[in-house]
Amino acid sequence: MDQLFTSRSSLQSVLNALLDATAILDEVGTLVWVNSAFHDLFTSFADVIQLHVSQLIPGFDLPAIKETGEDTIALDGKGSFNLYLHPINDGGGFWMLQLRTLKPLQEAMETYNESLRIVTHDLRSPLTTISGFADMLLQPIHGQLTERQVYSVKKIIASVGQMTHIIDNLQDAGRFDLQTSFYVMHQEPIDLSDIVRRIVSSYITPPEKQSLIPQLHVHAPIPILDADSTMLERAIINLIDNAVKYTPDTGSIEIHLKQSDDAKHLILSVMDTGYGISEEDQKRIFERHVRLKRKEYRKIKGTGLGLFIVQNIMRQHGGQVKVQSQLDKGSTFSLYIPLTYRTTLT
Ligand code: ADP
């Protein structure tokens, strides 16, 4: 240790002042020195010096962490920590280990999620009221509307639908995120052709984009699938919504549902004749909050969460989402959902 610290007492005071729990390990992972924050974290041990780090942090994989330099761990009853391992170059094989608590971050996330939950909940009810009353206006019982008035009311209904979709995505980005998910997947045998038919028939295409009403083609046989229908519905709605948003009003949208040639997957494809996506951009559109810039997109609303949600949903099903696209020609987004449970239905 003396060769490690040339000015030992001053280095010890610096390390002691660190808020992170900090320890010095030798080459094989034995603790040779710890600061007071580290002591406070492991008070159940009378003395931690000369213990191996894996006795304090179960599963600590020293060779792996030496490679990456960091990891995230959960300690029983103490919460989660970011863990950093730095070599001490002139120390002859010594390493500095830092444990940084994620508690403030987790508490901030909980507060954020709770505020989001309240806001999204409180926004949803007035939106339901607006769309309910707008729907009523279209009923003949309330008097005949002019063509222009019908168009305006339909615009209101479609805009309310878009706002509801944004609220849904804000919620889904949290509940379906593989990293932070608290949503418990509910897999059961489902007939995806029924679900897609229902989604397409109730989908509200904005009145100025009537040529984009999705045309559904179900290619029998469609086997029963073991999947979470709520999640799949959200993934499909996101793909249809994007096809409508990113296709000019003269285009068209087709949806195909079929079994893969090797019968291992159901494939649901949403094809549009819209703006398309360059090869470069196709690599990043599934990341959280990525929205592509193009002058035609200036008025298009979105959060950049839709495809992130779709990808998370597919991963949780052991499936994949794939994109094929050409700029200014159109895009096809396909969901590959594994068939784990099969009985031919359609
Ligand atoms: P949002 O639509 O809310 O911006 P998404 O995550 O659903 O977020 O999509 C990310 C980006 O990918 C979009 O902003 C858009 O630029 C691009 N994109 C998605 N779907 C399509 C599509 N069908 N055609 C062209 N671009 C698309």
Side-chain angles (χ1 to χ4, degrees):
M1 279 297 282
D2 287 342
Q3 72 189 87
L4 171 62
F5 301 136
T6 41
S7 172
R8 185 179 162 133
S9 62
S10 58
L11 182 58
Q12 287 196 3
S13 352
V14 171
L15 293 179
N16 259 329
L18 288 179
L19 292 179
D20 293 339
T22 306
I24 307 291
L25 314 179
D26 69 10
E27 182 59 30
V28 293
T30 311
L31 294 152
V32 294
W33 184 86
V34 299
N35 73 351
S36 19
F38 197 95
H39 257 303
D40 295 346
L41 195 59
F42 296 101
T43 41
S44 51
F45 293 85
D47 190 5
V48 295
I49 302 300
Q50 294 307 323
L51 292 183
H52 190 266
V53 61
S54 60
Q55 290 174 267
L56 305 177
I57 307 172
F60 188 97
D61 184 352
L62 188 58
I65 298 170
K66 276 182 182 174
E67 289 279 312
T68 56
E70 58 182 83
D71 200 357
T72 305
I73 51 149
L75 289 175
D76 239 5
K78 299 178 173 57
S80 298
F81 293 81
N82 271 344
L83 178 156
Y84 305 96
L85 191 68
H86 319 273
I88 303 176
N89 290 334
D90 49 0
F94 289 99
W95 296 78
M96 183 165 92
L97 171 70
Q98 274 177 289
L99 298 179
R100 183 165 302 159
T101 177
L102 291 175
K103 218 171 177 185
L105 187 66
Q106 278 165 344
E107 282 169 0
M109 273 310 285
E110 273 162 31
T111 313
Y112 170 76
N113 282 335
E114 180 58 12
S115 321
L116 193 64
R117 198 189 59 74
I118 293 168
V119 170
T120 50
H121 177 266
D122 288 0
L123 278 177
R124 206 184 288 276
S125 26
L127 285 177
T128 312
T129 312
I130 295 171
S131 113
F133 276 99
D135 263 337
M136 266 168 48
L137 283 177
L138 292 178
Q139 308 298 321
I141 193 170
H142 291 280
Q144 206 61 44
L145 299 184
T146 65
E147 211 174 292
R148 188 72 222 155
Q149 285 168 332
V150 169
Y151 181 88
S152 304
V153 173
K154 285 189 172 166
K155 276 284 290 182
I156 294 174
I157 295 172
S159 302
V160 169
Q162 275 170 14
M163 283 173 75
T164 311
H165 178 72
I166 288 176
I167 292 174
D168 287 339
N169 273 0
L170 285 171
Q171 274 184 334
D172 289 352
R175 66 181 183 147
F176 297 154
D177 182 350
L178 272 171
Q179 310 285 320
T180 56
S181 178
F182 53 85
Y183 179 84
V184 181
M185 244 179 112
H186 179 67
Q187 277 180 287
E188 58 183 351
I190 57 169
D191 180 358
L192 195 59
S193 58
D194 265 0
I195 292 179
V196 188
R197 279 194 192 100
R198 186 164 39 76
I199 293 174
V200 171
S201 64
S202 60
Y203 188 81
I204 301 171
T205 313
E208 73 280 14
K209 287 195 161 183
Q210 290 301 293
S211 76
L212 300 186
I213 292 176
Q215 304 301 311
L216 175 62
H217 305 270
V218 176
H219 306 266
I222 300 299
I224 289 281
L225 195 65
D226 210 15
D228 183 315
S229 56
T230 307
M231 291 175 111
L232 288 188
E233 262 182 53
R234 297 294 307 140
I236 297 165
I237 289 173
N238 264 298
L239 294 187
I240 300 178
D241 232 71
N242 280 348
V244 172
K245 283 197 297 187
Y246 302 107
T247 304
D249 51 13
T250 49
S252 62
I253 296 173
E254 280 183 24
I255 301 175
H256 290 266
L257 179 64
K258 62 174 189 186
Q259 191 176 182
S260 63
D261 293 340
D262 61 6
K264 288 191 176 154
H265 293 90
L266 266 195
I267 306 175
L268 181 126
S269 303
V270 179
M271 302 165 60
D272 65 55
T273 58
Y275 299 115
I277 307 161
S278 71
E279 248 177 70
E280 195 60 27
D281 285 333
Q282 288 173 30
K283 293 181 199 134
R284 52 189 204 99
I285 48 174
F286 296 97
E287 287 165 27
R288 194 192 269 264
H289 290 310
V290 167
R291 304 203 70 211
L292 304 180
K293 291 201 170 43
R294 195 173 153 145
K295 68 175 181 335
E296 293 89 340
Y297 295 174
R298 258 184 240 138
K299 288 195 176 150
I300 301 178
K301 307 230 168 4
T303 52
L305 291 171
L307 292 178
F308 169 78
I309 293 168
V310 174
Q311 190 175 54
N312 273 280
I313 291 175
M314 280 302 102
R315 285 186 177 160
Q316 295 199 41
H317 279 86
Q320 269 192 72
V321 47
K322 294 185 188 176
V323 57
Q324 281 175 305
S325 185
Q326 240 185 311
L327 263 186
D328 298 317
K329 293 260 159 52
S331 312
T332 300
F333 282 85
S334 302
L335 305 179
Y336 283 70
I337 315 154
L339 280 165
T340 46
Y341 181 93
R342 272 175 252 163
T343 327
T344 302
L345 246 208
T346 328

